[in-house]
Amino acid sequence: MRISTKETTWMPIELCWKKIMTGALAVTLVTGSASAVLSSPVAVHAAALTASTPFLDVNAGHWAEKHIAKLYFQGIIDGYKNTADGTSTFKPEKSVSQQEAVLMALRFAGLIDQAPTNSLIIFDESFVVSEFFKSYIELAFKEGLLDREEEYALAKADTANAWGSKPASREWVTKLIVKAIGQQAVANQLQNAASPFQDASSISTRYKGFVNAAFQLGLVKGMTETTFEPAKTITRASLATLFSRAQSSYPVDYEGQQSGVVSDLTSTSLTVYNDGKETTYALDSNTVYFHFNSEKPITKDQLLEYGDISVIGKDGKALYVEVESDTQHTKTVAGTFDRYNATDKTFYVWIDNKAQLFTYDESLVVEDADGKTVAIDTIKRDAKVTIVQDTFRKESRTLKLTTAVAPNTTTISGMVQNLDKESITILQDGKNLVSKFLDKSVTVQIEGLPNTSVSDLIPKVDVVELSINANEQVVAIKVQNRQMNKITAAQIINRAQDDKLLTVVDSNGKNAQALYITDATKFVYNGETMTRNAAMILLSQFKSIDISYSHNNVIILEFVDKYKGELVTVNETDQQVTIKIPSGDLITVPYTRAYIDLKDKPSATLSDLKKGATVTLDLVYDQFLIFQIKIHTNVQYEIVSVDSVNKKLKVKTGTEAAFELSTTDIEILKTDGTKGAFSQFKAGDRVNASYAGSTLEKLQSVTTSSNG
């Protein structure tokens, strides 16, 4: 354990928690163990690959991941190190004793250095505390974190358990922390207030006001949405969460941590402005990111430039980054550009009939309406412009100047004749050939087709508008004559001209279309784009495709071997099944002897197909024919036990005995529908299982046994 030797003068308790806490205060949450990790937080975190903490038992998605990460990087908590392989664990579900909780509260409040030393401390004989903790417990009595008379009485009432080593209950710890942040007055005011928890009658009278205060202050949320479970022992994860949430309302300054405004953000660095000074931190794959209003990690892309932020760093590197608000400290004004002075780095803009002066430096971003960088000397007088300035500096800095029209840009239109990686030729007005070089960052816009490039253009078909800059280079291409159509469950009835011409019909054998495959056609199978050569092999085998086309040219050709949708009808006379797919289209597919796959009913028949049910039609790949129909069902299970090694759950229902479920190769979701992990499952939880026929496809948590 690390103990700070820094001398501290006495201050009222409501101010002490604002003290700067040094790195020497990094200790384990459970302080009695000799196996506590005392190594550098930075060195340990370097081993973390997916989770935001270095602890093997705090996986990405753990409900307390954010709070454990934050306190770890602040140097307040650590874990347990395996000396054999150097890995570390946190033991998030391990209980915390009352004496350990007091020590952590003192550290959090910045009072730890005031503990008496070399003095004889004698407690009531029934009040048993480990020798190491005596001075800290005495300090807690002195500073009002604990009431001596109350705790002595509790010890006498439970002589079978030593007061110090007794696991701390949730209600007891809640009172301790509310006192540590100086909010007893709030607790007194809320003593008789209605509780948000349904099990409020189980909360002891002496703690009721403190639980109400902690809930109002955002420190606790309960074990579930409706219960607090006051007598349940506090775990390491829950205690870390309480301390972390307390900082949201009552910020504490820690060594290496600072708050400010994001003044610059690049792919590898983050600059924070605070009180006239800027600090730049390096960002790498080990940096973790969170948002003040969420328990889940975010990505660097979700950071808000010119927004409030908190950074915990060491040696110039950002370890932990948290967005502190959704407010961007900028202001935007619009006007008409007048002139600029390159020598003085100033420009004038007419706003409300007044010429206003703006200064700028090398960091000014100058863009056109499409977001392309332009030079300020290319902006013409009287051009409409908008200016973005910051509001967090004493003297606002001009950040961005945007012109409504791309400077010196002209447009021409015509049909594409030829193109390559460097140039494009169009036929203008039906008679003049015009060739232009392509800008390296040229953009292509085709309605109905995302992520487009020059390779998606079709010569002799596409009519385009070219935007040309002052260097006579094409900076943007917009296709003007595409009208995308789609045939779902199309059947190929003829191929000709070396597979360049396909004749297709819809699932009902109607709406015949003769369509051309071009060099720009994209081929897709199972969501993956494939090469033309590979597609030609499948084209000779597959009879069912989804085809998107414009005019008579194939834009996207997707090979399909199954369709999922809502069952509309089963026509046993004609042996056809009609379903409504997510796009809203109706498709009809024939069958001969289709196998019906239904969970827990191996002898299912067509009579088990009910209108409105979700089904998957598995097709014979070389025929437009159903060979299997999977009926989708949902079942809710209660988890009996968790096999973390083999990734298996033992589950049961109200009518079924317990059995094992393998979670290999299935989708796992959290209660809110976002991606989850096996580590989220705990005995006692409920999960929704989604089946396609007899195959388990997805598990989604319904309840969790702990959430702080």
Side-chain angles (χ1 to χ4, degrees):
M1 175 173 46
R2 303 181 222 174
I3 305 293
S4 173
T5 56
K6 181 180 176 182
E7 293 186 1
T8 307
T9 57
W10 184 91
M11 63 182 74
I13 188 169
E14 62 270 18
L15 299 179
C16 285
W17 52 264
K18 292 185 178 178
K19 262 185 46 179
I20 294 179
M21 306 201 42
T22 68
L25 294 183
V27 296
T28 59
L29 257 173
V30 179
T31 54
S33 170
S35 61
V37 178
L38 299 180
S39 57
S40 165
V42 177
V44 177
H45 184 67
L49 297 177
T50 55
S52 58
T53 78
F55 307 120
L56 296 180
D57 52 354
V58 183
N59 298 324
H62 188 282
W63 65 268
E65 177 186 12
K66 170 183 179 178
H67 308 293
I68 294 171
K70 185 173 186 177
L71 269 67
Y72 168 71
F73 287 118
Q74 287 173 331
I76 297 178
I77 62 173
D78 243 319
Y80 299 86
K81 189 170 186 178
N82 185 329
T83 55
D85 60 10
T87 59
S88 59
T89 57
F90 183 68
K91 300 182 181 180
E93 301 308 314
K94 181 179 174 63
S95 62
V96 180
S97 71
Q98 294 187 151
Q99 58 193 12
E100 293 162 352
V102 171
L103 178 62
M104 288 307 299
L106 290 170
R107 291 185 180 282
F108 176 76
L111 295 167
I112 195 70
D113 298 323
Q114 298 181 33
T117 58
N118 301 322
S119 59
L120 181 63
I121 298 174
I122 300 176
F123 294 133
D124 186 276
E125 61 180 1
S126 62
F127 190 79
V128 181
V129 175
S130 299
E131 192 65 32
F132 171 81
F133 292 95
K134 283 186 175 180
S135 62
Y136 301 114
I137 302 301
E138 180 64 26
L139 176 61
F141 283 143
K142 175 185 174 183
E143 296 298 332
L145 273 69
L146 297 175
D147 181 275
R148 190 185 302 268
E149 183 178 338
E150 180 179 293
E151 299 305 326
Y152 278 6
L154 290 172
K156 288 179 181 179
D158 185 16
T159 56
N161 298 294
W163 183 93
S165 57
K166 180 180 179 180
S169 69
R170 287 170 56 81
E171 61 180 4
W172 185 88
V173 162
T174 299
K175 180 176 182 177
L176 175 69
I177 293 181
V178 170
K179 282 191 167 188
I181 60 176
Q183 295 299 311
Q184 170 140 13
V186 177
N188 293 340
Q189 293 172 3
L190 298 176
Q191 176 64 31
N192 298 315
S195 173
F197 302 111
Q198 292 180 359
D199 58 352
S201 60
S202 300
I203 302 174
S204 300
T205 302
R206 65 170 62 91
Y207 304 120
K208 188 168 293 184
F210 292 94
V211 173
N212 284 340
F215 180 81
Q216 185 179 92
L217 297 169
L219 306 184
V220 298
K221 295 183 179 179
M223 293 299 289
T224 70
E225 291 184 359
T226 59
T227 62
F228 182 69
E229 298 187 29
K232 189 178 182 68
T233 57
I234 195 82
T235 65
R236 286 167 56 82
S238 292
L239 189 56
T241 300
L242 283 171
F243 282 122
S244 174
R245 286 177 179 161
Q247 294 180 32
S248 299
S249 301
Y250 309 96
V252 182
D253 293 325
Y254 296 91
E255 184 179 31
Q257 178 172 333
Q258 75 158 326
S259 295
V261 176
V262 180
S263 59
D264 190 40
L265 181 63
T266 72
S267 60
T268 58
S269 67
L270 168 71
T271 302
V272 179
Y273 176 92
N274 181 281
D275 195 23
K277 298 180 181 179
E278 290 186 304
T279 306
T280 299
Y281 298 89
L283 303 175
D284 58 26
S285 59
N286 290 326
T287 306
V288 296
Y289 307 92
F290 287 92
H291 188 278
F292 77 98
N293 204 27
S294 175
E295 307 284 289
K296 304 167 190 173
I298 61 174
T299 65
K300 184 180 76 67
D301 294 337
Q302 293 172 273
L303 299 183
L304 184 65
E305 195 166 17
Y306 313 121
D308 297 303
I309 204 163
S310 176
V311 179
I312 302 173
K314 185 172 184 179
D315 298 329
K317 294 182 180 180
L319 307 176
Y320 177 99
V321 178
E322 184 169 350
V323 176
E324 292 191 332
S325 81
D326 291 324
T327 301
Q328 202 167 27
H329 298 288
T330 61
K331 62 180 180 180
T332 302
V333 294
T336 302
F337 193 77
D338 185 81
R339 65 187 185 278
Y340 84 102
N341 186 316
T343 303
D344 296 337
K345 288 189 174 356
T346 60
F347 61 87
Y348 284 90
V349 173
W350 287 92
I351 301 174
D352 295 331
N353 295 319
K354 294 181 180 179
Q356 295 192 22
L357 176 67
F358 293 86
T359 60
Y360 67 93
D361 58 25
E362 291 76 8
S363 65
L364 176 68
V365 176
V366 185
E367 295 179 344
D368 63 18
D370 294 324
K372 290 185 177 296
T373 300
V374 298
I376 192 171
D377 60 4
T378 63
I379 300 179
K380 297 179 180 179
R381 189 170 188 172
D382 297 330
K384 300 295 184 183
V385 294
T386 58
I387 302 100
V388 179
Q389 293 180 292
D390 68 44
T391 58
F392 55 86
R393 293 182 174 90
K394 291 182 179 179
E395 293 186 8
S396 293
R397 179 178 296 176
T398 305
L399 306 172
K400 181 186 285 189
L401 172 64
T402 303
T403 176
V405 179
N408 301 327
T409 297
T410 58
T411 60
I412 60 174
S413 297
M415 179 175 287
V416 178
Q417 300 299 301
N418 296 293
L419 72 158
D420 54 38
K421 294 181 179 180
E422 296 182 348
S423 65
I424 184 171
T425 301
I426 66 171
L427 181 63
Q428 191 177 22
D429 300 325
K431 55 184 179 181
N432 299 318
L433 287 175
V434 179
S435 295
K436 297 291 182 182
F437 285 106
L438 300 175
D439 183 78
K440 291 182 179 180
S441 58
V442 62
T443 61
V444 177
Q445 181 182 347
I446 304 175
E447 186 176 352
L449 194 62
N451 305 318
T452 49
S453 65
V454 173
S455 62
D456 292 299
L457 299 174
I458 305 175
K460 307 295 178 65
V461 172
D462 285 334
V463 175
V464 298
E465 178 187 80
L466 307 182
S467 296
I468 304 168
N469 64 16
N471 296 320
E472 290 296 310
Q473 294 175 319
V474 178
V475 294
I477 303 173
K478 182 178 181 180
V479 176
Q480 297 179 310
N481 65 331
R482 289 274 187 103
Q483 183 176 358
M484 294 287 283
N485 300 285
K486 185 172 184 179
I487 303 176
T488 302
Q491 302 170 62
I492 302 173
I493 60 174
N494 188 41
R495 297 160 56 193
Q497 300 179 21
D498 297 327
D499 290 331
K500 292 183 178 179
L501 176 62
L502 301 179
T503 303
V504 299
V505 294
D506 62 21
S507 66
N508 294 309
K510 301 178 180 180
N511 189 28
Q513 298 281 336
L515 303 172
Y516 287 95
I517 292 177
T518 72
D519 292 338
T521 299
K522 290 186 177 180
F523 302 94
V524 179
Y525 181 49
N526 284 336
E528 298 291 332
T529 301
M530 58 195 309
T531 64
R532 182 187 181 88
N533 290 338
M536 290 303 103
I537 296 174
L538 288 188
L539 198 62
S540 65
Q541 301 171 349
F542 271 71
K543 296 300 180 185
S544 180
I545 59 174
D546 288 352
I547 195 162
S548 299
Y549 64 96
S550 177
H551 300 291
N552 60 349
N553 296 288
V554 178
I555 307 302
I556 303 174
L557 190 154
E558 183 173 1
F559 298 99
V560 181
D561 56 13
K562 63 171 62 69
Y563 286 103
K564 179 181 177 182
E566 178 186 327
L567 181 64
V568 178
T569 60
V570 177
N571 186 331
E572 295 190 51
T573 302
D574 296 334
Q575 292 189 303
Q576 294 178 333
V577 175
T578 300
I579 65 172
K580 183 179 181 180
I581 61 176
S583 66
D585 293 330
L586 296 179
I587 61 171
T588 300
V589 189
Y591 67 88
T592 53
R593 299 177 57 187
Y595 170 68
I596 310 301
D597 186 9
L598 176 60
K599 181 184 180 298
D600 297 334
K601 193 172 182 180
S603 58
T605 66
L606 289 171
S607 62
D608 291 296
L609 294 171
K610 307 298 181 185
K611 183 178 180 179
T614 300
V615 297
T616 294
L617 309 181
D618 289 327
L619 309 182
V620 180
Y621 75 94
D622 60 352
Q623 301 178 54
F624 188 61
L625 186 70
I626 300 170
F627 78 85
Q628 177 175 252
I629 302 176
K630 295 177 181 176
I631 302 175
H632 290 249
T633 55
N634 296 302
V635 183
Q636 187 171 110
Y637 295 121
E638 179 184 346
I639 299 177
V640 177
S641 61
V642 178
D643 181 352
S644 301
V645 176
N646 298 304
K647 297 291 191 295
K648 292 182 178 180
L649 302 176
K650 182 169 283 188
V651 299
K652 67 177 182 179
T653 67
T655 57
E656 289 182 287
F659 64 95
E660 278 193 337
L661 274 184
S662 174
T663 64
T664 305
D665 298 327
I666 70 165
E667 185 179 12
I668 296 176
L669 301 178
K670 300 178 185 178
T671 54
D672 60 2
T674 57
K675 184 178 180 181
F678 183 85
S679 58
Q680 75 193 45
F681 299 127
K682 297 180 178 62
D685 287 358
R686 292 190 177 275
V687 293
N688 282 336
S690 299
Y691 288 87
S694 54
T695 302
L696 178 62
E697 289 191 324
K698 179 173 63 180
L699 282 177
Q700 181 173 359
S701 293
V702 178
T703 59
T704 54
S705 54
S706 293
N707 64 11

